[in-house]
Amino acid sequence: SAIEFRAELEADLHYALPRRELELFYQPQFNRAGELFGAEILLRWGHSKRGLISPAQFIPLAEENGFIIMVDLYYQSPFPTRS
């Protein structure tokens, strides 16, 4: 059921950082002249069993349970412990 799926995702989300399943991707942004002016940072979850989880599914969960703060702090660290 949808409720069970959501509960499972929420539980799995707590292991996503230690398992290094969350990744940042940088999408270049260009102005009308075609010049690069920045990048949009996209967070993606490559779940170890479910594959790629849509941000539309996991970001609201992370925001609701406060996990988004841990994600934010982890990626703002100058040297996150990723391999």
Side-chain angles (χ1 to χ4, degrees), residues 2-13:
I3 294 172
E4 290 172 341
F5 177 74
R6 181 180 166 89
E8 290 171 5
L9 271 188
E10 187 170 349
D12 290 348
L13 192 54

Side-chain angles (χ1 to χ4, degrees), residues 8-81:
E8 290 171 5
L9 271 188
E10 187 170 349
D12 290 348
L13 192 54
H14 292 280
Y15 298 102
L17 274 178
R19 291 180 183 160
R20 296 181 175 101
E21 294 178 349
L22 298 177
E23 295 184 60
L24 295 179
F25 291 87
Y26 299 89
Q27 180 172 324
Q29 301 292 301
F30 299 92
N31 63 20
R32 291 181 184 217
E35 301 165 325
L36 178 68
F37 71 88
E40 180 180 14
I41 300 172
L42 308 170
L43 182 64
R44 298 290 182 251
W45 182 8
H47 192 284
S48 59
K49 295 179 184 171
R50 299 180 188 272
L52 195 60
I53 305 290
S54 167
Q57 290 181 306
F58 77 87
I59 297 291
L61 282 177
E63 289 173 339
E64 288 171 20
N65 66 27
F67 185 73
I68 198 73
I69 295 169
M70 290 175 56
V71 172
D72 189 42
L73 291 173
Y74 178 80
Y75 284 107
Q76 285 187 23
S77 165
F79 302 103
T81 55

